[in-house]
Every structure is written in C-alpha cells, then in structure tokens.
Amino acid sequence: MMNPRPLRIFVVEDEALLLMHLEALIEAAGHGVAGTAMSGGEALRLVPTLEADLALVDLRLCDGETGLSVCRSLTRTRRIPVIFVTANERRVPLGDEAERPPCTVGDNDPGDDYAGALGVIAKPYTLHGLQTALAFLEGALLDPPPSLAPPPGLRITPAYAARWALAG
C-alpha cells in the first residue's frame, strides 16, 4: 500500500461545541477540515462546490433537514462518501426502513444499508477512536482495499465490508 495523503473531511454538526471538538480531533489526527456546516440547509448549499474525500454527518440536525438528505446530496452530486456520526447508532436506517437513494461513491455501490452512507461512528468519540477510524478510512478511500481492519468504534455497511473483503 502506498502512503495515502491526509483526508479532506467535511463536517456537518449542528452543536457548535461538538463541531469545534470534532474539527480539533480531525486536525490532531493529521487530517484536514475541508469545510463545516451547522445545519442541513447550510450543508446542502455548500455541496456543489465542496472538495472533500469524506463527510462526517450528524444524523439529526436542528433545522428540519436530516443527515439522510445531506448524505443523498453528497453521494449523488459530489460522490463524497458519508459516515454518520450519531449518539444513537441504532437509529441509522437499514434496508427497508430507509428512504433509499441510489447513492454511489465512485464505482462503489453501497446498496441499501445505512441509507447510502459508508458507515457509522457512535458519539461520544475519543481522539484515539477517531484516529483509528480515520486511519482505516484513509486507506480504504485513498488506496483501496484497506489494509487495516475497521476499529471497534466504526461500523462499516455490509455492502462495503463485502466489497473490501472485510471479516465481519
């Protein structure tokens, strides 16, 4: 595996302190913040010009938009993979529970799992947890397939796990 460059990460989080904390953790992990949004509407306005390798998106946003609609726009319009960041990962839609957009990331087909997102990181996250998740995602996205196993704090969709031949 070649040594991938740091990830450029777009963050959508409606709580200011959590957003600032997540930005600091991303930078401490050696990656860059490509942009931030504090609402779904703001995120959707930024999508057309966004240059990012990955988006970390809160599932529940305060302005009526949901992380699901932001995911749909990011994956359809910019082909940016999405990781949901949520305090209750059991609320992430699976299969028939989700309004399933035909999300694709490059030539990947994530299928119906997680409403088109690549996976989920549960809140609260720690520096170590986020560092290990981003190290896995760096290899997985910039130089696939990943050479590391997904860390415990990161749930990858079954479709991506199968594509990357990850042990489940």
Side-chain angles (χ1 to χ4, degrees), residues 24-31 127 130-132 134:
L25 291 176
I26 289 167
E27 290 169 357
H31 299 284
L127 174 58
L130 191 63
Q131 282 177 326
T132 57
L134 292 177

Side-chain angles (χ1 to χ4, degrees), residues 45-136:
R45 283 189 298 278
L46 292 172
V47 167
T49 58
L50 188 62
E51 296 293 331
D53 301 305
L54 176 68
L56 300 179
V57 178
D58 189 3
L59 190 58
R60 298 184 62 121
L61 300 167
C62 65
D63 67 341
E65 290 293 342
T66 67
L68 299 177
S69 62
V70 173
C71 172
R72 183 178 308 111
S73 182
L74 286 166
T75 55
R76 282 183 178 174
T77 306
R78 304 297 297 169
R79 295 184 176 220
I80 296 171
V82 172
I83 295 285
F84 287 124
V85 181
T86 181
N88 188 351
E89 59 186 311
R90 288 179 285 173
R91 296 193 73 142
V92 177
L94 299 171
D96 293 333
E97 300 170 31
E99 176 186 338
R100 293 182 309 274
C103 295
T104 58
V105 178
D107 63 347
N108 295 339
D109 179 6
D112 296 339
D113 300 312
Y114 296 35
L118 191 153
V120 178
I121 294 175
K123 292 179 187 176
Y125 32 78
T126 63
L127 174 58
H128 176 72
L130 191 63
Q131 282 177 326
T132 57
L134 292 177
F136 170 82

